[in-house]
């Protein structure tokens, strides 16, 4: 097919460009025109392939498996466009497109900096790797090749499967593209670092790569926070960050590139940390590829709602080869230059900006390592790490980082006395302690939260003062303090919304008010919208203020599951947030052996206590499901009866065009068992996952009497959640200002160099 041919052309051109640039370095060819032309051919081919896929999507050409699998005729135009990056193959092409488009300004930029040959040789090779994976996992594969035997040759489906309901949201238009731009951006510092090692030029690359490092910080950070805002407003698990493994795998590169940004500044000012910077530049991009491996290998399918299905053995292997190749290439080259990177040892005291930035970098690296270990657990075992692990391990690091955020910008690059430092910080210390005492009086009693609040307040006050001082000197110098203020506010927002947010499960009988904390909630009825979704009207009164919330539930035809969308209202210091759980109608329940089992919550059934432990679905069944075939889904149950405890797995076979076929899982007594009737897998971080089972062999119970229509919700108060969103804006703005400043400094340095050469 023409799309696959274009991708092959792009791959061949990228390989040719990488090799020709390499030969230009080795043979000292002054003007490698062929290398530039082939790189531009690769870029043009990637653009052509992307345009072609978008045209096929807009024309509903369901003869392509990718388009059939992720789009449908009923999607509005804006969501139809997002199907380009909704699946594995399309998102890989979009990432490749971002990298290709970034390559054109990079070519011109590196040529001006006289680093073109080495930089573009490496960058072309990275682009070729992406294109090779795209060849193996192509969005242009026909549905007859992808689904052999399912359709007669030439038969085209009338409609596609459609887009996952969780992705049918405005933020789907913005979040993935911003994140993929960040992924592509981190290839540039990697290329500059390896080019510097190749050229034996160990400091010039710092100023050259700095704007690209800042751009990576900006785009990755913005992508993460947009994703958090999306999750908060759409997913019914009531939070903006759930330590989901796929979320973590994008967080790690951001932390590493943040460290790189600060250690590069240290090397520019002191000449130190040269080796560290090369290690970080390599690891930043390696972590991006590793993130891709985790997301697309299928390893995290049971641990994350974001994970794609298993891509196949060949693509799985190629992702591992890519990780191994760039790791070996980077660290072998670094090992060869290791002794040349040794800097003169100069005794420096502890009270310098260099020391504190280095210490902060060490703690941030420890955080990245902790997150990496927790996120990678499913790679080495069948289990996954609970969110509490990340909270517990990262809390001490966050406390220390708050103090370091405050002091690092106050200190000078040269050694100074403790008395001088105290003189410049005592006011901030006193104000922080005063505010902290007030917070303790208001109810902040957890000593770990007290320490985090103190360090965050200290950082906030110090950096606010620096911001005001620099504002009078140069607005372009505000990037650092602005970003540090954002991080301090983020920590405070985490304390307020995370640790001190309150959640209550509330049963709302139709038209009967219910008191929840200082709020009176009244469920006033439900209506079905034109989209088939049920909207539940809840009237909320609080201290004379009345507002209405409309949480949503519906059964999705996409996956035949109940979907939940929360609703909330924002005040200056808090949000009030409602998550729908279930609706109990007035119909009489005559089936006395059917029970709802929420995940992790023991339920009394006859003389047994039954708990849903987890869902159980094997890899081969996930493959069948993604291919539209039969799949068997199970639920692991723990059954306590007297002093005995057993674990059994109830399973149901789902076949296209047939009713579900449950199999009775029997206890060892051979008399009692359970059938899995339906399941609701919920969302990441949700406590609402549940199943419906039929108990076999239990005693008869009287029929359940009719009861009024009842809406069950989880109502939450989230103090100071606005600090989280404000923090995201400030960090983004600070990174943007820093990019502009570095770009201007680069331009001035370049013009200065040209003038000096003319004078000679």
């Amino acid at each position: 097919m023409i799309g696959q041919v274009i991708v092959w052309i792009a791959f061949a051109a990228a390989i040719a460009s990488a090799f020709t640039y390499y030969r230009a370095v080795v043979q000292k060819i002054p003007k490698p025109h062929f290398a530039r032309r082939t790189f531009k051919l690769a870029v043009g081919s990637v653009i052509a392939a992307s345009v072609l896929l978008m045209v096929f999507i807009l024309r509903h050409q369901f003869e392509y498996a990718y388009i059939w699998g992720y789009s449908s005729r009923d999607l509005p135009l804006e969501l139809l466009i997002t199907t380009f990056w909704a699946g594995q193959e399309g998102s890989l092409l979009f990432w490749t497109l971002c990298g290709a488009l970034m390559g054109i300004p990079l070519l011109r930029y590196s040529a001006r900096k006289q680093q073109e040959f080495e930089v573009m040789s490496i960058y072309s090779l990275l682009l070729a790797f992406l294109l090779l994976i795209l060849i193996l996992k192509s969005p242009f594969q026909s549905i007859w090749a992808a689904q052999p035997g399912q359709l007669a040759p030439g038969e085209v489906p009338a409609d596609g499967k459609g887009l996952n309901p969780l992705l049918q949201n405005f933020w789907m238009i913005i979040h993935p593209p911003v994140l993929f731009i960040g992924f592509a951006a981190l290839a540039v510092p990697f290329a500059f670092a390896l080019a510097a090692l190749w050229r034996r030029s160990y400091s010039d690359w710092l100023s050259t790569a700095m704007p690209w490092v800042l751009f990576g910080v900006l785009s990755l950070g913005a992508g993460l926070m947009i994703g958090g805002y999306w999750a908060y407003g759409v997913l019914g698990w009531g939070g903006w960050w759930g330590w989901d493994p796929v979320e973590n795998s994008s967080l790690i590169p951001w932390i590493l590139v943040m460290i790189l940004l600060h250690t590069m500044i240290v090397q520019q000012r002191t000449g130190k940390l040269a080796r560290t910077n090369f290690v970080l530049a390599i690891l930043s991009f390696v972590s991006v590829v590793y993130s891709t491996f985790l997301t697309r290998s299928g390893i995290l399918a049971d641990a994350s709602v974001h994970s794609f299905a298993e891509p196949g053995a060949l693509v799985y292997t190629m992702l591992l080869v890519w990780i191994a190749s760039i790791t070996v290439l980077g660290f072998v080259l670094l090992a060869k230059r290791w002794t040349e990177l040794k800097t003169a040892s100069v005794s420096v005291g502890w009270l310098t900006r260099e020391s504190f930035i280095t210490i902060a970098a060490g703690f941030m690296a420890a955080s990245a390592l902790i997150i990496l270990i927790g996120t990678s657990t499913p790679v080495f075992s069948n289990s996954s790490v609970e969110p509490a692990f990340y909270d517990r391990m990262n809390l001490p690091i966050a406390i220390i980082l708050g103090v370091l955020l405050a002091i690092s910008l106050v200190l000078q690059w040269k050694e100074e006395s403790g008395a001088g430092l105290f003189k410049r910080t005592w006011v901030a210390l006193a104000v922080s302690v005063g505010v902290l005492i007030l917070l303790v009086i208001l109810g902040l009693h957890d000593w770990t939260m007290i320490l985090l609040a103190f360090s965050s307040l200290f950082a906030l006050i110090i950096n606010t003062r620096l911001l005001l001082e620099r504002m009078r000197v140069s607005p372009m110098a505000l990037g650092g303090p602005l970003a540090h203020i954002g991080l301090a506010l983020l920590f405070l927002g985490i304390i307020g919304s995370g640790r001190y947010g309150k959640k209550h499960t509330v049963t709302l009988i139709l038209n009967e008010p219910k008191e929840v904390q200082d709020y009176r909630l009244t469920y006033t009825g439900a209506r079905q919208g034109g989209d088939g979704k049920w909207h539940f009207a809840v009237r909320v009164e609080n201290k004379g203020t009345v507002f209405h919330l409309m949480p949503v539930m519906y059964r999705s035809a996409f996956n035949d599951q109940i979907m939940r969308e929360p609703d909330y209202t924002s005040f200056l210091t808090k949000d009030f947030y409602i998550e729908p759980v279930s609706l109990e109608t007035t119909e009489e329940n005559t089936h006395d052996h059917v029970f709802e089992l929420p995940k992790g919550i023991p339920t009394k059934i006859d003389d047994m206590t039954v708990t849903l432990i987890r869902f159980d679905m094997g890899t081969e069944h996930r493959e069948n499901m993604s291919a539209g075939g039969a799949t068997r889904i199970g639920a692991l149950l723990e059954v306590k009866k007297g002093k005995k405890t057993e674990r059994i797995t109830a399973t149901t076979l789902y076949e296209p065009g047939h009713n579900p076929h449950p199999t009775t899982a029997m206890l060892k007594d051979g008399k009692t068992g359970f059938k899995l009737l339906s399941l609701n897998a919920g969302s990441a971080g949700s406590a609402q996952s549940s199943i419906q089972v039929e108990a076999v062999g239990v005693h008869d119970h009287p029929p359940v009497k009719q009861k009024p229509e009842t809406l069950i919700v989880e109502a939450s108060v989230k103090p100071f959640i606005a600090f989280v969103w404000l923090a995201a804006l400030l960090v983004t703005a600070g990174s943007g200002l820093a990019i502009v400043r570095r770009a201007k400094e680069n331009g001035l340095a370049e013009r200065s160099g040209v003038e000096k050469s003319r004078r000679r």
Side-chain angles (χ1 to χ4, degrees):
M1 295 182 181
I2 185 171
Q4 291 172 313
V5 171
I6 293 173
V7 174
W8 270 105
I9 292 171
F11 172 70
I15 288 290
S17 178
F19 176 75
T20 312
Y21 269 121
Y22 171 79
R23 193 178 65 174
V25 176
V26 174
Q27 298 181 2
K28 295 183 171 50
I29 299 173
K31 294 182 179 180
H33 296 298
F34 183 74
R36 292 169 184 163
R37 291 189 186 113
T38 49
F39 182 79
K40 291 176 182 177
L41 174 61
V43 173
S45 300
V46 172
I47 294 172
S50 303
V51 170
L52 191 64
L53 179 62
M54 184 60 75
V55 169
F56 290 166
I57 289 171
L58 296 177
R59 292 174 58 181
H60 303 299
Q61 294 190 224
F62 299 122
E63 64 266 31
Y64 294 98
Y66 179 78
I67 297 171
W68 171 80
Y70 292 95
S71 71
S72 58
R73 295 184 183 277
D74 62 345
L75 286 174
L77 178 61
E78 65 274 13
L79 290 179
L80 187 63
I81 290 171
T82 68
T83 61
F84 186 114
W85 49 79
Q88 279 204 34
E89 298 88 341
S91 60
L92 280 170
L93 178 56
F94 187 80
W95 181 5
T96 309
L97 176 64
C98 293
L101 292 174
M102 216 169 285
I104 296 300
L106 176 63
L107 191 156
R108 296 171 181 170
Y109 182 78
S110 60
R112 289 203 314 270
K113 300 295 182 179
Q114 298 181 345
Q115 300 175 30
E116 176 191 356
F117 300 172
E118 296 87 354
V119 168
M120 295 310 298
S121 177
I122 296 163
Y123 194 80
S124 299
L125 188 62
L126 298 178
L127 186 63
F129 256 114
L130 265 175
L131 287 162
L132 179 57
I133 295 174
L134 199 56
I135 288 170
L136 300 175
K137 196 71 176 173
S138 172
F140 298 105
Q141 186 182 28
S142 72
I143 194 168
W144 308 293
Q147 308 279 345
Q150 299 292 321
L151 294 169
E155 181 185 356
V156 179
D159 202 354
K161 293 175 68 176
L163 188 63
N164 189 317
L166 291 176
L167 303 181
Q168 295 185 31
N169 185 270
F170 166 79
W171 293 110
M172 181 63 181
I173 304 170
I174 302 174
H175 167 61
V178 172
L179 209 55
F180 281 118
I181 289 169
F183 279 7
L186 291 197
V188 180
F190 177 85
F192 273 117
L194 264 61
L197 291 169
W198 194 352
R199 293 161 52 90
R200 287 186 162 89
S201 177
Y202 305 128
S203 59
D204 292 346
W205 76 283
L206 297 170
S207 59
T208 307
M210 182 66 79
W212 298 91
V213 171
L214 282 162
F215 182 67
V217 169
L218 172 65
S219 50
L220 267 181
L224 288 167
M225 293 311 300
I226 290 170
Y229 189 76
W230 181 4
Y232 180 75
V234 175
L235 296 180
W237 51 274
W240 60 276
W241 189 265
W243 293 111
D244 182 277
V246 173
E247 294 172 350
N248 294 349
S249 67
S250 299
L251 176 63
I252 293 168
W254 184 75
I255 293 175
L256 290 176
V257 77
M258 279 283 285
I259 300 170
L260 175 62
L261 170 64
H262 290 84
T263 53
M264 286 173 73
I265 294 172
V266 171
Q267 187 183 347
Q268 284 181 315
R269 293 300 300 259
T270 69
K272 296 183 178 181
L273 301 183
R275 292 170 174 169
T276 302
N277 285 324
F278 285 115
V279 169
L280 287 169
I282 295 167
L283 288 180
S284 296
F285 186 66
V286 169
S287 66
V288 166
V289 182
Y290 182 65
S291 168
T292 305
F293 168 73
L294 287 178
T295 308
R296 298 166 195 284
S297 63
I299 288 174
L300 299 180
D302 290 332
S304 172
V305 294
H306 299 83
S307 181
F308 293 102
E310 191 169 329
L314 192 56
V315 177
Y316 184 97
T317 304
M318 187 50 60
L319 287 168
L320 289 175
V321 169
W322 193 13
I323 294 170
S325 298
I326 59 176
T327 304
V328 170
L329 176 64
F331 284 107
V332 166
L333 192 53
L334 178 60
K336 288 184 176 181
R337 305 288 191 257
W338 192 259
T339 56
E340 299 177 22
L341 289 166
K342 186 176 181 180
T343 55
S345 59
V346 179
S347 60
V348 177
W350 285 102
L351 288 179
T352 65
R353 187 176 297 184
E354 173 199 336
S355 297
F356 271 67
I357 289 177
T358 304
I359 294 168
F363 279 103
M364 291 177 71
S367 176
L369 181 61
I370 289 166
I371 298 169
L372 176 65
I373 292 170
T375 304
S376 302
T377 300
V379 178
F380 308 106
S381 69
N382 294 325
S383 62
S384 58
V385 172
E386 293 297 321
F389 165 81
Y390 301 103
D391 292 334
R392 185 173 63 253
M393 299 298 290
N394 280 292
L395 180 57
I397 295 174
I399 293 169
I400 295 169
L401 281 177
V403 176
L404 295 173
L405 282 174
I407 297 178
S408 60
L409 288 182
V410 175
L411 288 168
Q412 305 299 314
W413 289 100
K414 60 183 180 179
E415 171 72 4
E416 61 178 297
S417 66
L421 176 63
F422 180 75
K423 185 177 179 180
R424 293 199 302 278
T425 58
W426 75 268
V427 174
L429 281 168
V431 174
S432 301
V433 171
V435 175
L436 189 64
I437 291 172
L438 178 62
L439 291 176
V440 170
I441 294 172
L442 293 174
L444 183 64
H445 296 148
D446 186 331
W447 69 270
T448 56
M449 291 297 104
I450 290 173
L451 290 175
L452 181 58
F454 170 76
S455 66
S456 302
L457 288 167
F458 186 46
L460 176 64
I461 295 166
I462 288 286
N463 283 281
T464 301
R465 192 192 72 192
L466 286 172
L467 183 76
L468 296 174
E469 291 175 356
R470 292 189 181 184
M471 194 178 292
R472 292 192 290 265
V473 179
S474 171
M476 287 296 102
L478 302 182
L482 207 58
H484 284 197
I485 289 171
L487 290 172
L489 285 175
L490 177 64
F491 291 156
L492 291 172
I494 289 171
I495 295 172
S497 64
R499 184 58 65 94
Y500 289 95
K502 296 178 180 179
K503 178 183 288 189
H504 299 271
T505 300
V506 186
T507 300
L508 299 177
I509 298 174
L510 184 65
N511 294 323
E512 291 188 13
K514 188 71 172 285
E515 299 290 338
V516 182
Q517 297 186 58
D518 296 329
Y519 298 84
R520 172 176 287 187
L521 277 60
T522 307
Y523 168 50
T524 59
R527 63 175 178 82
Q528 190 172 24
D531 53 4
K533 298 180 179 180
W534 283 96
H535 301 253
F536 304 100
V538 179
R539 186 176 188 268
V540 185
E541 300 174 62
N542 174 246
K543 298 178 181 178
T545 302
V546 177
F547 53 93
H548 295 82
L549 298 179
M550 297 283 287
V552 172
M553 283 197 301
Y554 61 98
R555 180 173 291 278
S556 168
F558 180 84
N559 51 17
D560 196 33
Q561 290 186 5
I562 297 296
M563 312 300 292
R564 298 171 172 85
E565 296 178 5
D567 195 11
Y568 65 94
T569 190
S570 297
F571 300 97
L572 184 62
T573 60
K574 61 188 174 184
D575 280 6
F576 185 78
Y577 190 103
I578 287 183
E579 310 158 51
V581 177
S582 65
L583 179 70
E584 298 178 2
T585 62
T586 58
E587 296 178 1
E588 184 175 355
N589 181 9
T590 58
H591 204 324
D592 59 329
H593 294 164
V594 175
F595 300 89
E596 188 86 10
L597 300 182
K599 185 178 179 182
I601 300 177
T603 302
K604 191 72 174 175
I605 299 178
D606 206 38
D607 59 346
M608 301 172 290
T609 301
V610 186
T611 307
L612 169 62
I613 303 300
R614 64 171 182 270
F615 299 111
D616 185 12
M617 184 169 66
T619 302
E620 69 278 7
H621 298 304
R622 290 197 301 271
E623 291 175 351
N624 291 340
M625 178 178 284
S626 62
T631 182
R632 188 179 300 277
I633 298 177
L636 179 63
L637 306 178
E638 183 178 84
V639 183
K640 292 183 179 180
K641 191 173 184 179
K643 295 183 178 180
K644 295 182 179 180
T645 299
E646 292 183 42
R647 287 197 173 192
I648 58 174
T649 301
T651 62
T652 296
L653 179 66
Y654 292 87
E655 295 181 279
H658 296 80
N659 291 326
H661 181 69
T663 301
T664 304
M666 301 298 295
L667 297 177
K668 291 179 181 179
D669 62 10
K671 300 177 181 178
T672 311
F674 297 90
K675 286 184 180 180
L676 176 62
L677 301 182
S678 65
L679 75 158
N680 168 36
S683 307
S686 175
Q688 300 164 5
S689 301
S690 63
I691 60 171
Q692 193 177 62
V693 297
E694 179 183 350
V696 177
V698 299
H699 296 99
D700 289 336
H701 301 277
V704 178
K705 294 182 179 179
Q706 189 178 51
K707 58 183 179 180
E709 182 174 311
T710 303
L711 177 67
I712 300 175
V713 300
E714 288 190 344
S716 309
V717 177
K718 300 180 181 298
F720 300 105
I721 187 68
F723 281 9
V724 174
W725 316 130
L726 179 58
L729 293 174
L730 291 177
V731 172
T732 302
S735 302
L737 279 174
I739 291 173
V740 173
R741 179 188 177 189
R742 292 291 174 176
K744 285 188 175 182
E745 289 175 354
N746 255 341
L748 289 172
E750 194 173 313
R751 286 194 293 272
S752 176
V754 170
E755 289 173 2
K756 287 180 180 178
S757 63
R758 285 175 178 171
R759 291 193 194 103
R760 294 194 191 102

